[in-house]
């Protein structure tokens, strides 16, 4: 049994610990897109983790480099730009305010880690759910093809 | 205001939209409304093979000071019959204008997405519940109604003598024309039910 819970990413409640019903409620709202109703920015994922932002790669632009897709200005040679893990690059002054607002790349939506525990938990569960779906699909295919 | 990030970015986008192919094809356009780039007027041509074909739809675009970190506020000025657009206020239900916005998107992306929305409505995520219901229950009725609205408000082709006659019956009774059109459209052009609703 323990393995099953581990696989699902669930942790048993400690003695005297109550389930975090607020978290469950928040998840329910997210799943049904209810944050829309509650306010404009509520559904945006939280800001990128401070550590991840601090450790972003940088590079010096050469002449051949293109433009920053946030301000649409062309890079000048020698200018320092920040590079996200997805390899999209931006001016520091352009990408940092965005990452303070939400954790994804403005071009491809690649997600950076966040400092928000609830959101990270929610995201882990989403990924697991997807994996499970793929596994079931594989199983199904191997059984019926 | 004219020197902040939002204004500079809009200036650059302006050139981008003006240069793009879609403008050459007369499909989308943007115009300045004031000098400080906070308000713009957008125009979208109704997509071909839709009830909006031949119409020209005007949009109000308000650029927040925090643009491009927050999306522009967009609504239809031209009245339109569409499940994801309010037939009364022109308010739009489109994900990229809300939580799916990203700083790398531009006015061009927004206008092209709206054009795509006009070509493929999403009735399960409606802005106007009455229109969405008609869209799901009676596609042909929806098509005729949307086409009539395009002809009336967006300069589209073709009239509809039957619809016109019913509207006249109501205006003869002192109902305001737009109001008569909304009531009839909402009740699948059933004159009796529309009258009942207007005078109840
Ligand atoms: Zn930039
Ligand atoms: Zn990216």
């Amino acid at each position: 049994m323990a393995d099953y819970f581990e696989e699902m990413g669930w942790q048993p409640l400690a003695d005297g610990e109550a389930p975090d019903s607020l978290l469950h409620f928040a998840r329910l709202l997210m799943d049904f897109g209810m944050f829309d109703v509650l306010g404009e920015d509520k559904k945006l994922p939280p800001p990128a983790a401070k550590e991840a932002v601090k450790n972003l790669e940088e590079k010096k632009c050469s002449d051949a480099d293109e433009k920053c897709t946030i301000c649409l200005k062309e890079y000048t040679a020698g200018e320092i730009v920040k590079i996200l893990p997805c390899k999209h690059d931006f001016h520091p002054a352009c990408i940092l305010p965005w990452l303070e607002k939400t954790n994804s790349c403005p071009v491809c939506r690649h997600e950076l880690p966040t400092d928000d525990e609830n959101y990270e938990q929610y995201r882990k569960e989403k990924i697991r759910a997807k994996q499970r779906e793929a596994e079931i699909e594989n199983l199904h295919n191997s059984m019926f093809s | 205001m004219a020197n902040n990030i939002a204004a500079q970015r809009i200036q650059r986008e302006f050139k981008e939209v003006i240069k793009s192919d879609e403008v050459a094809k007369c499909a989308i356009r943007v115009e300045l409304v004031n000098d400080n780039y906070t308000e713009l007027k957008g125009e979208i041509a109704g997509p071909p093979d839709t009830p909006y074909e031949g119409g020209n739809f005007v949009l109000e675009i308000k650029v927040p000071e925090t643009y491009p970190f927050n999306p522009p506020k967009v609504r239809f000025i031209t009245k339109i019959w569409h499940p994801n657009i309010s037939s009364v206020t022109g308010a739009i239900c489109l994900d990229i204008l809300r939580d799916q916005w990203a700083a790398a998107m531009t006015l061009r992306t927004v206008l092209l997405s709206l054009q795509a929305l006009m070509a493929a409505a999403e009735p399960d995520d409606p802005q106007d519940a009455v229109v969405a219901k008609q869209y799901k229950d009676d596609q042909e009725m929806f098509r005729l109604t949307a086409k009539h609205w395009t002809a009336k408000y967006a300069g589209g082709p073709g009239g509809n003598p039957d619809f016109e006659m019913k509207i006249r019956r109501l205006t003869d009774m002192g109902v305001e024309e737009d109001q008569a059109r909304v009531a009839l459209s909402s009740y699948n052009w059933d004159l009796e039910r529309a009258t009942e609703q207007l005078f109840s």
Side-chain angles (χ1 to χ4, degrees), chain A residues 81-137:
Chain A
V81 298
K82 294 265 182 202
I83 308 169
L84 298 194
C86 52
K87 300 298 168 206
H88 287 120
D89 49 35
F90 311 91
H91 290 120
C94 293
I95 190 64
L96 296 179
W98 176 257
L99 293 178
E100 272 167 31
K101 186 177 146 83
T102 187
N103 70 329
S104 64
C105 168
V107 175
C108 69
R109 296 190 179 283
H110 173 88
E111 286 192 71
L112 268 67
T114 71
D115 288 327
D116 184 319
E117 258 174 60
N118 287 352
Y119 181 75
E120 288 302 311
Q121 189 69 30
Y122 168 78
R123 189 156 67 148
K124 248 187 255 164
E125 276 168 30
K126 278 263 138 138
I127 292 169
R128 282 217 184 82
K130 239 190 206 138
Q131 277 171 351
R132 272 199 297 277
E133 222 168 78
E135 277 162 22
I136 290 167
E137 173 87 19

Side-chain angles (χ1 to χ4, degrees), chain B residues 29-153:
Chain B
R29 253 174 57 178
V30 213
E31 255 172 53
L32 280 180
V33 173
N34 60 18
D35 289 338
N36 47 15
Y37 293 89
T38 53
E39 204 173 328
L40 300 106
K41 187 179 119 181
E43 276 179 54
I44 308 178
D49 303 318
T50 70
Y52 312 108
E53 182 170 14
N56 184 48
F57 296 85
V58 179
L59 303 158
E60 174 189 87
I61 305 172
K62 288 194 169 150
V63 182
E65 238 170 283
T66 48
Y67 185 79
F69 300 110
N70 287 311
K73 294 196 178 356
V74 186
R75 78 181 180 94
F76 276 79
I77 300 279
T78 307
K79 285 184 178 294
I80 179 170
W81 191 252
H82 185 290
N84 304 104
I85 302 159
S86 164
S87 56
V88 182
T89 64
I92 303 162
C93 180
L94 179 64
D95 55 358
I96 65 158
L97 293 177
R98 297 179 175 201
D99 55 295
Q100 293 298 306
W101 173 255
M105 291 178 177
T106 63
L107 295 176
R108 180 172 167 269
T109 337
V110 170
L111 294 186
L112 292 178
S113 303
L114 284 173
Q115 207 168 31
L117 184 69
M118 287 164 86
E122 287 169 28
D124 291 324
D125 188 17
Q127 176 78 38
D128 196 310
V130 175
V131 186
K133 189 173 184 320
Q134 185 183 70
Y135 182 93
K136 286 200 206 176
D137 295 349
D138 192 342
Q139 276 277 333
E140 182 56 14
M141 180 59 73
F142 165 79
R143 199 186 61 78
L144 288 173
T145 307
K147 199 167 155 49
H148 170 73
W149 280 54
T150 303
K152 214 62 217 172
Y153 298 115

